[in-house]
Amino acid sequence: MEEQHPDFKVIAIGVSVAAALYILIRNTHSGPNLDFVPAVGSSGSLASYFGAFRYVFHAKEMFQEGYLKYPATFFRIPIVDRWSVLVSGKQLIEDIANAREEELSFHKSTNEFLQTRYTLGRGCERDPYHPAVIRTSLTRNVGQRFPDLRDEIVCSLADLIPQSDDWTPVAAYDTMLQVICRTSNRFFVGLPLCRDPDYLALMNSVAMDVVVKAQLINFLPAFLRPTFGPWIASLNTNMRRAQKHLTPLVAERLKKMEELGKDWPGKPNDLITWLMDAAQGDELTLDALVQRVIFVNFAAIRTSTDTFVHLLFDLAAYPSYIQPLREEVETVVTAEGWTKTAVGKMHKIDSFLRESQRMHGIGTQSLGRKVVKPNGFTFSDGTTLPSGTYLHATTWCLHHDPELYPDPHIFDGFRFDKLRQAEETGAAKYQSVTTSLDYLAFGHGIHSCPGRHMAATELKAIVAHIVLNYDIKLADGEDRPANQYVASACLPHATAKVFFRKRQS
Ligand code: HEM
């Protein structure tokens, strides 16, 4: 039998317990009245609970059913205790992308989904100043700090994947999680901490556990969350462990700042500094900064790892792409060396990444928002969704719409490179970091992922290094390892192996 992702079991138990509890204590979905929005499946109160069960493992099919039945409009899906509205029209998705936080709140929706106060800390819930830091200082420094990123890619792959002449099976997920955690933290906190096994284990476990623990807390009735939330989330344990590693670094910086002023000479160019430059009041304290470093790791590591493992499975499943990618890397690196600009010129790798994200984007929905405007949010078609409504865009359905992408179920690694070459404005339009109403893997609009420039450079540099130095394949006769769809997540297979050997030709 095929092994299941560890999240499967935890979520299945959580859902069963929570659904039973809910059916016992209430017999209708809570939240605003959405009767005017068509429902996928039955909208009756008990039947909608069966819909909520279906959502856990078949959300994608429910989205597609709604997308085909109610094109360019809204439909709703039952999730355990409420309705979620899916938005399928491009113009309507644009309304979401441009809406202000006071109308459609990204942070309220995310903080509830992640139960941020219990899982990542109250400061992160209260003051989301880090996206601006990522969008500005962090992104600006990807070029300058590229030699560090590159060095950590080379060292971590050398440590984790043998350069043997024989094929060696490599656990794709666990290995790439290590590579990405090390490389990202080389950029965030530098050497030697980015190689400390306990620090890495902590950041990996935060990346893997927060969403699952948050869902367990979400399944609890609200009045039980303050009692059981901290216990489930183990935030204090994580903090103590992180403090052990980060306190000396942060304390030293705070001391220097106090003694020598904000721009003291020789201050390191890393995430801690960029956060300290922006933090105000209570956020400019030891514990708050440690908590913020954990938060940024959470935002960066799992998203990047899931994306990369999907891509690695595509590369191993369609080996005919390896040679042209190799040639591209060789040409660019011979001319330019290893720089961020050089990676930016690897158009085929960029296209491959974007196509992999189109087909296996890590969320089958994105642009999650909660209506917070007291009298509701009115879309450009005149529909008003009442305050308290949760909504998302139908990302998977758009990415697989034949009107937008011919042969959408066929992996065409150079799809976007061909479009780039065919159109005059294609260079920017089809880049992996460019969001649009047709391409929502990084969201779109005001809250589009601020870390995507770092992520794209890092992931492309890892692919470039792998194709240059290794041959890769799946086990003989095997197809691409199946994705595992849990609620709205599209998880790469957790235990599948990819075979590596030293490049032979
Ligand atoms: C391939 C990897 C990644 C993927 C697929 C991804 C995807 C996303 C998506 C879909 C959103 C929500 C956008 C929306 O609702 O409009 C988002 C937001 C966010 N991402 Fe990423 N992300 C990735 C990597 C990163 C990295 C490396 C960082 C940090 C360095 C990061 C930090 C964030 C933050 C802070 C937000 C919230 C933005 C806000 O509050 O406005 N992400 N990301």
Side-chain angles (χ1 to χ4, degrees):
M1 213 178 85
E2 195 170 78
E3 278 184 78
Q4 288 188 331
H5 196 284
D7 291 0
F8 252 64
K9 283 182 199 144
V10 185
I11 289 187
I13 295 166
V15 169
S16 312
V17 173
L21 199 65
Y22 269 101
I23 289 170
L24 280 175
I25 60 176
R26 60 222 286 202
N27 64 0
T28 186
H29 279 90
S30 56
N33 185 346
L34 293 166
D35 288 350
F36 65 98
V37 180
V40 167
S42 171
S43 59
S45 59
L46 202 59
S48 65
Y49 282 104
F50 292 109
F53 272 112
R54 196 180 154 212
Y55 173 82
V56 178
F57 296 115
H58 299 284
K60 175 166 71 71
E61 288 76 10
M62 293 172 87
F63 294 165
Q64 187 65 0
E65 190 181 323
Y67 187 78
L68 295 176
K69 225 163 159 181
Y70 310 108
T73 181
F74 307 87
F75 57 92
R76 65 191 160 119
I77 301 264
I79 55 176
V80 178
D81 63 330
R82 61 177 186 235
W83 292 99
S84 170
V85 171
L86 272 298
V87 182
S88 57
K90 284 214 266 177
Q91 183 53 51
L92 306 174
I93 293 174
E94 176 130 56
D95 295 341
I96 303 178
N98 295 333
R100 288 176 300 119
E101 185 62 22
E102 301 72 45
E103 300 174 316
L104 295 182
S105 175
F106 170 86
H107 293 297
K108 277 230 154 53
S109 159
T110 309
N111 284 334
E112 289 179 27
F113 176 71
L114 294 177
Q115 286 294 318
T116 309
R117 74 174 59 173
Y118 304 117
T119 53
L120 293 155
R122 277 182 192 271
C124 299
E125 179 187 61
R126 199 177 43 233
D127 183 358
Y129 75 91
H130 58 280
V133 173
I134 296 169
R135 195 167 285 120
T136 55
S137 311
L138 182 145
T139 299
R140 266 202 302 270
N141 278 294
V142 174
Q144 203 188 328
R145 295 283 317 278
F146 185 82
D148 290 325
L149 277 177
R150 162 87 184 138
D151 183 55
E152 206 55 39
I153 290 169
V154 174
C155 295
S156 58
L157 284 168
D159 288 349
L160 293 160
I161 306 184
Q163 277 264 334
S164 160
D165 286 325
D166 299 324
W167 287 107
T168 310
V170 172
Y173 199 92
D174 287 351
T175 308
M176 295 328 299
L177 179 62
Q178 300 298 325
V179 171
I180 284 165
C181 197
R182 262 176 73 166
T183 308
S184 306
N185 274 286
R186 178 75 179 265
F187 192 44
F188 295 159
V189 298
L191 282 168
L193 191 51
C194 71
R195 293 184 188 167
D196 182 287
D198 186 66
Y199 175 81
L200 291 173
L202 170 65
M203 292 309 165
N204 286 345
S205 80
V206 170
M208 299 310 290
D209 295 351
V210 161
V211 172
V212 177
K213 287 180 173 170
Q215 295 332 298
L216 292 176
I217 299 170
N218 264 316
F219 290 144
L220 295 172
F223 71 92
L224 291 179
R225 289 177 197 160
T227 312
F228 293 104
W231 175 71
I232 294 174
S234 39
L235 174 65
N236 290 339
T237 316
N238 288 347
M239 267 302 282
R240 275 195 298 276
R241 219 168 138 194
Q243 277 160 341
K244 191 176 81 187
H245 298 291
L246 287 163
T247 296
L249 272 181
V250 180
E252 157 97 14
R253 309 265 183 104
L254 284 169
K255 190 163 156 264
K256 284 250 169 64
M257 191 178 190
E258 205 176 291
E259 285 168 4
L260 306 166
K262 246 188 155 172
D263 290 315
W264 49 280
K267 78 175 177 178
N269 191 22
D270 64 11
L271 177 68
I272 299 174
T273 292
W274 306 323
L275 288 172
M276 283 175 68
D277 285 347
Q280 304 279 336
D282 286 352
E283 291 307 319
L284 194 54
T285 57
L286 202 56
D287 286 356
L289 288 161
V290 170
Q291 215 157 63
R292 200 65 62 155
V293 172
I294 302 179
F295 194 104
V296 175
N297 264 277
F298 163 72
I301 305 300
R302 182 152 194 183
T303 47
S304 302
T305 304
D306 284 12
T307 301
F308 191 83
V309 177
H310 278 305
L311 181 153
L312 188 64
F313 289 154
D314 288 328
L315 201 55
Y318 311 112
S320 62
Y321 286 101
I322 293 177
Q323 191 53 29
L325 294 181
R326 219 168 237 173
E327 283 164 17
E328 175 178 81
V329 177
E330 276 166 350
T331 309
V332 171
V333 170
T334 306
E336 311 242 349
W338 284 100
T339 62
K340 175 182 177 273
T341 312
V343 173
K345 291 183 181 166
M346 297 176 186
H347 300 303
K348 287 193 164 68
I349 291 192
D350 193 78
S351 172
F352 197 90
L353 170 61
R354 189 173 168 102
E355 176 71 348
S356 181
Q357 287 189 274
R358 179 191 72 78
M359 288 219 32
H360 316 288
I362 59 177
T364 53
Q365 60 183 15
S366 59
L367 285 105
R369 305 287 187 268
K370 182 178 184 180
V371 180
V372 288
K373 201 173 167 202
N375 49 356
F377 179 78
T378 302
F379 283 81
S380 49
D381 71 343
T383 307
T384 300
L385 290 180
S387 180
T389 305
Y390 295 87
L391 53 119
H392 286 91
T394 50
T395 304
W396 189 91
C397 307
L398 281 163
H399 287 182
H400 291 79
D401 186 332
E403 305 248 316
L404 303 177
Y405 298 101
D407 296 324
H409 296 281
I410 292 181
F411 184 87
D412 179 357
F414 297 151
R415 180 189 295 269
F416 296 105
D417 190 45
K418 286 177 261 176
L419 289 167
R420 184 187 69 80
Q421 291 187 38
E423 282 182 37
E424 218 164 278
T425 56
K429 195 168 160 193
Y430 298 111
Q431 272 189 98
S432 61
V433 290
T434 303
T435 68
S436 75
L437 295 172
D438 296 346
Y439 184 74
L440 301 175
F442 288 114
H444 184 54
I446 293 175
H447 291 288
S448 59
C449 176
R452 65 189 189 279
H453 298 274
M454 169 191 164
T457 302
E458 179 181 4
L459 302 191
K460 283 159 58 184
I462 301 175
V463 185
H465 185 72
I466 288 179
V467 294
L468 217 53
N469 293 284
Y470 295 93
D471 291 333
I472 69 164
K473 65 166 192 173
L474 294 173
D476 292 339
E478 281 203 0
D479 292 334
R480 185 187 189 282
N483 295 338
Q484 297 181 329
Y485 292 92
V486 183
S488 63
C490 168
L491 306 167
H493 199 290
T495 54
K497 302 226 172 4
V498 170
F499 288 73
F500 283 73
R501 73 173 177 197
K502 189 175 171 187
R503 180 178 166 185
Q504 304 288 301
S505 58

